[in-house]
Amino acid sequence: MIGSAVLRLRERVAALATHALAAARGERDLAALAEAVWAAIEDERARAPAGDRPGPACRPGCSTCCRVNVGTLAIEGAAVAARLRVDAGAAARARDLLAFHDRVRWLEDRERVADRLACPFLDAGGRCAIHPVRPLACRGLSSLDAADCRRALSGVAPDDDEDAGLVRMDLLQKALHDEAFAALAEALAARGLDARCRDVSGMAAAFLADPGLAAAFLAGARVPLA
Ligand code: SF4
């Protein structure tokens, strides 16, 4: 069941991206593509029989997983930037986000966890401030038990404890989002566009800092991130 849903989604996202990227001219078009992909994923999830699958333990304010690097494509960064651009102080926000990205760019997840470098999009209550436009990598994660997450990200488990990093999750949700990410990256590469991913902080900041970046990106420019 997971396999057929994932294959169907991959074809849907590939078709969506191919069509949308051919016509896209700027940030709003990239944001619209991201929204269409999220909708396609939700449609596939809704088609899957719920069966006796346990519900997620994830709740607003539980931000245990928001301390690792979030691989984000340019399309997703543009979607976040489009959302943030309406706020006052966008330029300063972009500078802060870029500074954070510089700090975490070369860190492994375990180093980032140890340094307590939580995602800069977390608000004071531990909620995601960009929840409606969060990246696929965030959307794909769910946990069936918050204790799994705390143990996996505690940073104190011995290296030889193979179970310490295991988090039981909704595998269909994870597979659909991973597949959508891969299909989007392939569609970008097929058009000769920058298909690299960077942490959500940097990818969002790059587009937020330069309102003309989306058009340049669609014309073949690389996102200016190391
Ligand atoms: S973007 Fe939102 S959900 Fe994703 S890591 Fe950051 S705060 Fe968490």
Side-chain angles (χ1 to χ4, degrees), residues 20-143:
L21 290 173
R25 295 293 175 266
E27 194 170 270
R28 285 178 182 273
D29 299 320
L30 293 175
L33 170 56
E35 286 176 18
V37 170
W38 302 331
I41 293 170
E42 287 313 306
D43 182 53
E44 288 296 341
R45 274 173 49 78
R47 284 194 200 195
D52 56 1
R53 283 196 323 238
C58 307
R59 296 284 180 273
C62 175
S63 56
T64 304
C65 64
C66 298
R67 289 182 285 155
V68 298
N69 296 308
V70 177
T72 303
L73 293 166
I75 294 166
E76 304 177 278
V80 177
R83 175 91 176 194
L84 295 175
R85 198 175 301 291
V86 299
D87 296 340
R93 186 82 192 273
R95 280 195 298 275
D96 291 346
L97 289 169
L98 281 171
F100 180 88
H101 181 257
D102 287 346
R103 198 168 168 201
V104 300
R105 172 68 183 96
W106 303 106
L107 294 183
E108 301 285 346
D109 283 344
R110 60 180 168 73
E111 295 172 315
R112 187 167 155 176
V113 169
D115 289 351
R116 299 180 181 277
L117 294 169
C119 179
F121 290 116
L122 279 179
D123 69 16
R127 291 174 168 80
C128 176
I130 57 165
H131 194 261
V133 294
R134 68 199 186 285
L136 290 165
C138 306
R139 291 167 185 268
L141 283 187
S142 66
S143 171

Side-chain angles (χ1 to χ4, degrees), residues 6 70 88 144 186 193:
V6 166
V70 177
L144 302 185
E186 277 182 18
L193 303 179

Side-chain angles (χ1 to χ4, degrees), residues 197-210:
C197 66
R198 293 291 180 267
D199 184 66
V200 59
S201 55
M203 201 55 98
F207 284 91
L208 188 59
D210 178 3

